[in-house]
Amino acid sequence: MTDFRRLTGTWLVAMGLILSASHALAQQPDRGDEPGLIADDSYQLDPEWQKQVVYYRTTEAPGTIIISTSERHLYLVQPGGRAIRYGIGVGRDGFQWQGLVQITNKKEWPDWTPPPEMIQRQPYLPRFMAGGPGNPLGARAMYLGTTVYRIHGTNRPDTIGTKVSSGCFRLVNNDVADLYDRVPVGTKVVIRQKPEL
């Protein structure tokens, strides 16, 4: 009987520790957005996420942006069966979407006003943040249609290649500035969750 009590006591302590640890983790802020953090420009992306020219078969016209959330890549279609491929961070599970939109606006060092839904999920976020190096939108933003979503930079280069956002698509600041200079307002953007067959 003593062994049973000791075993039961040990089990209860272990369960208490597990529950308190999971509660502590649930209370941690979302590490995807860190207002005020200055991007580490020396951060080296894994080769998979670095900007490169690739062969790319598509029926879309050159100049079209194709976002593949499953691959975590953004493609800017070029002539001759090629594309410039950028590594991106995408929406976490439950925040991914697909569709056909256009770039409706572009801004350098954009201000950030998190939408009410985001504030509800992450109440620690500021209600407004002026553009600049510590802004989670990074160096550039391209606004997608009439949605609240954007293609933008980031102050968290370590999140490229991950599912961390609330639905936006993030690139490192050098890459988003490069893309920004290549595409005008009105550019067609195709967002796909699954690769094209």
Side-chain angles (χ1 to χ4, degrees):
M1 191 68 160
T2 306
D3 287 342
F4 178 73
R5 283 187 189 153
R6 192 176 303 138
L7 184 61
T8 302
T10 303
W11 183 81
L12 288 173
V13 168
M15 286 307 294
L17 289 172
I18 290 169
L19 290 173
S20 64
S22 64
H23 178 71
L25 287 173
Q27 298 303 315
Q28 299 246 338
D30 179 349
R31 302 281 298 166
D33 295 302
E34 290 195 48
L37 179 71
I38 305 299
D40 177 3
D41 290 330
S42 68
Y43 183 84
Q44 284 294 314
L45 290 175
D46 183 281
E48 172 72 14
W49 312 122
Q50 293 175 12
K51 180 183 87 168
Q52 56 188 291
V53 176
V54 296
Y55 288 107
Y56 190 72
R57 278 186 26 197
T58 183
T59 57
E60 298 292 346
T64 302
I65 291 173
I66 300 173
I67 295 173
S68 174
T69 57
S70 63
E71 295 176 20
R72 297 182 201 121
H73 286 127
L74 179 152
Y75 297 90
L76 177 59
V77 179
Q78 302 292 291
R82 295 179 185 264
I84 301 172
R85 186 182 80 183
Y86 303 85
I88 58 174
V90 300
R92 59 184 161 257
D93 292 336
F95 290 86
Q96 294 177 12
W97 58 286
Q98 59 187 8
L100 176 62
V101 292
Q102 290 186 336
I103 293 176
T104 51
N105 196 6
K106 294 170 51 177
K107 290 189 180 172
E108 296 186 22
W109 296 106
D111 295 337
W112 184 43
T113 305
E117 303 82 14
M118 194 175 204
I119 296 289
Q120 188 174 11
R121 289 188 307 273
Q122 303 170 57
Y124 66 91
L125 293 176
R127 299 327 183 236
F128 171 84
M129 187 172 189
N135 190 309
L137 293 185
R140 305 287 186 273
M142 290 154 272
Y143 296 76
L144 299 175
T146 58
T147 73
V148 296
Y149 303 117
R150 296 168 289 262
I151 298 168
H152 63 78
T154 184
N155 62 346
R156 293 280 317 277
D158 58 307
T159 63
I160 302 305
T162 67
K163 299 189 287 185
V164 71
S165 80
S166 293
C168 288
F169 308 102
R170 59 178 68 183
L171 294 82
V172 293
N173 285 329
N174 286 340
D175 286 355
V176 80
D178 179 79
L179 179 65
Y180 183 97
D181 290 342
R182 293 175 186 273
V183 297
V185 168
T187 295
K188 180 180 179 181
V189 181
V190 181
I191 297 108
R192 296 185 179 130
Q193 289 192 349
K194 296 181 180 172
E196 189 175 25
L197 298 177

